[in-house]
Every structure is written in structure tokens, then in C-alpha cells.
Amino acid sequence: MPKLPHPFTASFPVFPPFARHLSARGTASTSSATAAAAAASALVVALTGCGSGASDATDDPTTASPEGFPVTIANCGTDVAIDAPPERVVTMNQHATEVMLALGLEDRLVGTAYLDDAVLPEFQEAYDAVPVLAEEYPSFEQVLAADPDFVYAGFGSSAFDDAEGRGREALADAGIATYENIEQCTDHVTMETVSTEIDNVASIFGVEDRADEVNDDITSRVDEAHERLSDVDPVDVVVVDSIDSTVFTAGGNGIGNEIIKRAGGRNVFDDVDKVFADVSVEQVAERSPDAILIYDYGATPVEEKKRALLDNPTLAEVPAIKEERFAVLPLSSAVVGVRAGDAVYDVAQQLHPDAF
């Protein structure tokens, strides 16, 4: 990703950014992202039977698709065509795994990979029963060894990395269908994007009723926060995923921006047309945020990130620094997944404690 120009060179520790997941995030043009978003949210369900245009072979009960199938979903430039609910699934990235578990599909999982932090407590027992293929991304050979018929990835640009041999085309050639979380190919992510993601996955597995329950829980949590915040004024917030000579932050296109807005804040970089972006420390100082939302993950503790921010002379007069007004969100909650409702409530509680 190209970096924005900045003259400041830091003298504090360097924190590895989120780029280990997203080698190509935020690089698409607005027009291509818009087209991908439209495709990602389109869902076409083709029913077999009389008048459906299906082959006469479907008259044979031994070859007919299950009720509600086949299903085709346009997903980030790839048509995902499913004749029957997948039986052997590999997930890559935590939020993909948690969507599967929230939908009660743990019995379909034959492998998983790449956690950023602990899975939610309610999913722990189910998660522990699933083989972990790799601490980070598995090789193509490790994926094939699990004998999946479907792979679901949270960060498609890195999980389905052609250079690593596990691109979507290579998996398709091996007879494996794929699907990737739609956040990175949606033009402007909202809470409705979360619902679409969960609905899409539920449609692939024929468990739409479970998606309704998951989405209702998310909506209820967001509504709880909204009721608490009825009398508060929004505060200006900057996300700090990592900081070295630049600040790696949330732009206006991702769920992080939506979480802040729903939590009674305003993302000071909401005009940046990306999910994530590098900005200079000087730009952060110029936008003078009232609060800092730190994404918590990896080997760098939150307290170390706070200290780097507090010790940075360029930020000394920023209100958030002077008042040491910090909020913290696990990285696994700052993506399109089942944690989105709780993320809104948790951030709202931290930004506006008096309202709670």
C-alpha cells in the first residue's frame, strides 16, 4: 500500500500493522469497489422443480438438489455456485470461523486457521473440537489434506493469495468452492453489510432461520447502545491499529467507521475512501481527536501502544492525549462478523461512560 507523505520519523517502538492480513486492502478504485459491493450483496436462489428451467435430470430423486438449492451468490467478483450445503469446510480468519459457529455449523468444520485473539466464550467448546490447520494461513497442501468441499475466508486478499498457491481459482480447480467476507469488496460498509454477510453464509448452508436469530441479536445490541446515547454529543475519534512513523488507522469504508458512528463518535478519517489507511502523525494532530480507539491484537500490548502515543511530541496538544482518553477494541470485533453489535455497545460505553 502506498504511504502518505510525512516528515515525521518516530523514535518509539514499531508495531506491526494489520497488513499481515490484507496485502491489498483499500487499493481498489471507488468505481470498482462500488461494482463489487453490488455483486457482494446480490443473492440469486434458483429453485429446482416444475417451471424452474432445471434439467430433466432433477426429476430423478437420486440426483435432485436439496430444497432451496442450487444457490448462486455473486461474491467479490466470483460467482459462488452451490448445489447442496457444503459438508466439509475450512475457515481462514477468526471472524469467518465465528460466523460458522454462531450459525451452529461446527459439525461442518474440518479445519480452521488464523486467530487474532480468543474466540468468544460461548464458542470455545465447539471451536476446540475443530482441527487447527495452521497458526496463521495454511499452505495449499494443508488445505487439500483436510479434504474440504468449501473454504470460507475472512480476509480474501491474503487468505486467497495466488502467490501462496491457495487462490480461489486454484481451489476451484481442485473442486473446492470458496467464499470471502464482503467487507473488503463493499464500497461503504454499514451494519446492513454485516446482515448481508451472515445471510449469505446461511444461504450457502440452508440455515436462513439461524441467520435471522444472529442478526436479531446484533440489531438488539446496537439498539441498546442507541437508546443510551440519545442525549450525548458525538466525540471525534481516531483509530490506532498501529503506529510507527505513520499511524495505521480506519478509513471511512469499513465496519470500524460504522462502529464509531453508532457508538456516539465521528471517525476523523471518515473522508478516507478505504477500509484501512496509513496517515501521518501530523495529520492525526491536525484533526485533533477527542478520543483514541486502539485495536488490540498481536504481540504488542495495548499499554505499549498507549505509551507510544503519549510519548509522541507531535501529539502532545491533541485533546485525546492530554486527557488520556482511550478506548480499546479487539481486532476480531472490528471486522464484519458476529461481534459487530457488541462492538458498538462496548465502544459506546467507553466513549460515553456517563450514559451507562
Side-chain angles (χ1 to χ4, degrees):
M1 171 180 295
K3 295 185 179 292
L4 301 177
H6 57 87
F8 179 73
T9 302
S11 58
F12 39 82
V14 174
F15 306 122
F18 194 19
R20 58 187 183 141
H21 284 313
L22 302 176
S23 59
R25 64 179 175 238
T27 58
S29 69
T30 301
S31 59
S32 60
T34 301
S41 62
L43 176 64
V44 180
V45 180
L47 301 177
T48 61
C50 180
S52 66
S55 166
D56 291 342
T58 58
D59 293 335
D60 181 351
T62 64
T63 60
S65 295
E67 183 179 357
F69 287 83
V71 170
T72 299
I73 299 177
N75 173 236
C76 298
T78 297
D79 284 341
V80 181
I82 305 294
D83 293 326
E87 296 288 342
R88 299 180 59 81
V89 182
V90 167
T91 54
M92 294 189 285
N93 303 119
Q94 182 164 346
H95 49 310
T97 303
E98 291 188 345
V99 168
M100 291 289 291
L101 297 177
L103 291 172
L105 296 168
E106 59 269 17
D107 61 327
R108 311 295 179 91
L109 292 173
V110 296
T112 187
Y114 220 139
L115 293 186
D116 286 301
D117 43 59
V119 297
L120 290 168
E122 59 264 37
F123 300 149
Q124 190 65 56
E125 183 177 354
Y127 174 79
D128 288 342
V130 181
V132 176
L133 304 185
E135 183 177 344
E136 295 188 359
Y137 289 121
S139 67
F140 183 66
E141 292 73 21
Q142 287 174 307
V143 173
L144 293 184
D147 192 26
D149 56 6
F150 189 81
V151 177
Y152 173 22
F155 301 111
S157 60
S158 52
F160 295 134
D161 188 347
D162 290 324
E164 295 292 329
R166 54 174 186 271
R168 298 184 76 171
E169 185 175 347
L171 290 165
D173 289 343
I176 302 168
T178 58
Y179 177 87
E180 66 176 274
N181 186 288
I182 62 176
E183 180 173 12
Q184 301 300 316
C185 62
T186 298
D187 182 49
H188 184 69
V189 174
T190 66
M191 295 305 296
E192 287 69 31
T193 309
V194 177
S195 296
T196 299
E197 175 72 11
I198 294 167
D199 286 342
N200 283 354
V201 177
S203 295
I204 289 168
F205 291 91
V207 293
E208 290 89 344
D209 56 334
R210 300 181 195 175
D212 291 340
E213 295 176 9
V214 173
N215 285 327
D216 286 348
D217 287 344
I218 293 171
T219 299
S220 175
R221 197 64 164 156
V222 174
D223 289 345
E224 285 182 57
H226 179 73
E227 291 174 8
R228 296 276 190 171
L229 299 173
S230 58
D231 296 324
V232 305
D233 295 324
V235 298
D236 286 346
V237 179
V238 65
V239 168
V240 174
D241 172 285
S242 59
I243 176 172
D244 48 35
S245 58
T246 61
V247 175
F248 195 53
T249 191
N253 272 7
I255 193 64
N257 186 72
E258 177 81 344
I259 289 169
I260 291 169
K261 182 173 68 174
R262 299 274 188 157
R266 187 188 72 82
N267 177 11
V268 297
F269 288 105
D270 62 0
D271 59 329
V272 176
D273 193 25
K274 296 180 180 179
V275 176
F276 289 94
D278 275 305
V279 298
S280 70
V281 178
E282 288 78 9
Q283 286 175 297
V284 175
E286 288 167 5
R287 299 200 179 194
S288 194
D290 300 307
I292 295 172
L293 176 59
I294 295 174
Y295 286 171
D296 182 18
Y297 71 99
T300 305
V302 168
E303 290 304 316
E304 194 170 335
K305 292 185 182 182
K306 286 183 181 179
R307 180 49 50 195
L309 290 161
L310 291 168
D311 290 348
N312 190 313
T314 304
L315 300 175
E317 297 304 314
V318 170
I321 296 298
K322 294 174 72 174
E323 298 172 15
E324 298 191 20
R325 191 175 182 180
F326 295 104
V328 177
L329 189 67
L331 180 60
S332 53
S333 297
V335 289
V336 168
V338 298
R339 298 185 181 216
D342 284 336
V344 169
Y345 192 93
D346 291 347
V347 173
Q349 196 169 27
Q350 294 178 77
L351 294 179
H352 302 283
D354 292 343
F356 292 81

